Amino acid sequence: MAKKSAAKKSKKTIASRASSKTDDFRAKSADELSTQLTTFKKEQFNLRFQRANGQVENTGRIRVLRRDIARIQTVLTEQRRAAQAKG
């Protein structure tokens, strides 16, 4: 029984961290997000090469980057749609 509640807590914690990151991204301007997106994509590119050569040390970073890139792209799309709705 204790294992089930611990698993639920960890999922909630992960979800709240993702929401926090998304909120941080929403607070930034489109230019800042574009710059950060470019930085993340460069890092992802480098990690892909390291993985192909068997040199990557933190394999979890690849997953985190992929999800952060998706979050930024989602926020940028939301901002573009909001701007179109206004004007």
Side-chain angles (χ1 to χ4, degrees), residues 63-74:
R63 180 179 179 184
V64 170
L65 271 176
R66 190 177 68 239
R67 291 181 178 193
D68 283 345
I69 288 169
R71 283 188 191 104
I72 290 174
Q73 289 174 335
T74 301

Side-chain angles (χ1 to χ4, degrees), residues 2 4 8 10 12 17 19 22 24 27 30-31 34 39 46 49 54 60 73-75 81:
K4 281 188 175 182
K8 286 183 181 181
S10 66
K12 287 182 181 180
R17 274 188 255 146
S19 176
T22 306
D24 291 344
D31 290 335
S34 295
T39 304
N46 290 331
F49 268 95
Q73 289 174 335
T74 301
V75 171
R81 287 186 180 166

Side-chain angles (χ1 to χ4, degrees), residues 2-3 5-6 15 25-26 33 45 53 59 62 68 70 72-73 75-77 81 84-86:
K3 287 185 179 182
S5 64
F25 291 146
R26 284 192 178 113
L33 288 173
F45 179 81
N53 292 329
T59 56
I62 297 168
D68 283 345
I72 290 174
Q73 289 174 335
V75 171
L76 283 171
T77 301
R81 287 186 180 166
Q84 284 179 347
K86 286 182 182 179

